[in-house]
Amino acid sequence: QVQLVESGGGLVQAGGSLRLSCAASGSIFSIKAMGWYRQAPGKQRELVAVITSGGSINYVDSVKGRFTISRDNAKNTVYLQMNSLKPEDTAVYYCKSDIFSTRYDRRARDYWGQGTQVTVSS
């Protein structure tokens, strides 16, 4: 019903930048929230940044001042601009969206993208 397609990952040197994109498509009535998670080998998955339908934004402390999340509602797309990247940012980044597929849905459901690899070399 709903698909999330991520792009923008890659290999970058420390101090560099990347911009991740995630486009939602399929049966979408409205989007409650969209965000980015990441998981590094041997570590727990963590929320990196989230933006709600009301425009509220939150970041994990470790990326504040370096990452910026934004959205394009007309395109059902969320972006993550990552600047001043550090080796510890290396992880698979996943897009997650809480979506009402139809007007009859009582609760939004979570959808996940396939993930995109971000590798920051030192």
Side-chain angles (χ1 to χ4, degrees):
Q1 286 191 4
V2 175
Q3 301 82 41
L4 302 181
V5 179
E6 301 134 320
S7 63
L11 175 64
V12 65
Q13 296 182 31
S17 299
L18 287 172
R19 189 192 192 206
L20 306 183
S21 299
C22 173
S25 62
S27 181
I28 300 172
F29 178 72
S30 65
I31 298 177
K32 182 180 179 181
M34 297 187 79
W36 293 93
Y37 291 73
R38 67 185 180 187
Q39 187 163 22
K43 296 184 178 180
Q44 294 180 320
R45 183 171 57 195
E46 66 174 350
L47 174 68
V48 178
V50 62
I51 183 167
T52 71
S53 60
S56 178
I57 294 173
N58 285 289
Y59 300 96
V60 66
D61 286 344
S62 60
V63 309
K64 288 181 178 178
R66 300 188 298 120
F67 291 10
T68 302
I69 189 170
S70 61
R71 66 185 181 186
D72 184 336
N73 291 336
K75 297 181 179 180
N76 291 327
T77 299
V78 64
Y79 306 93
L80 186 67
Q81 179 66 46
M82 305 185 293
N83 298 325
S84 302
L85 283 162
K86 304 175 181 179
E88 48 263 47
D89 295 318
T90 296
V92 177
Y93 284 70
Y94 297 93
C95 178
K96 178 191 173 185
S97 185
D98 301 332
I99 294 174
F100 294 96
S101 292
T102 74
R103 70 183 69 182
Y104 307 108
D105 290 351
R106 290 179 173 269
R107 292 186 176 276
R109 298 186 182 276
D110 295 342
Y111 296 91
W112 292 85
Q114 287 261 44
T116 184
Q117 178 71 49
V118 171
T119 302
V120 184
S121 65
S122 59

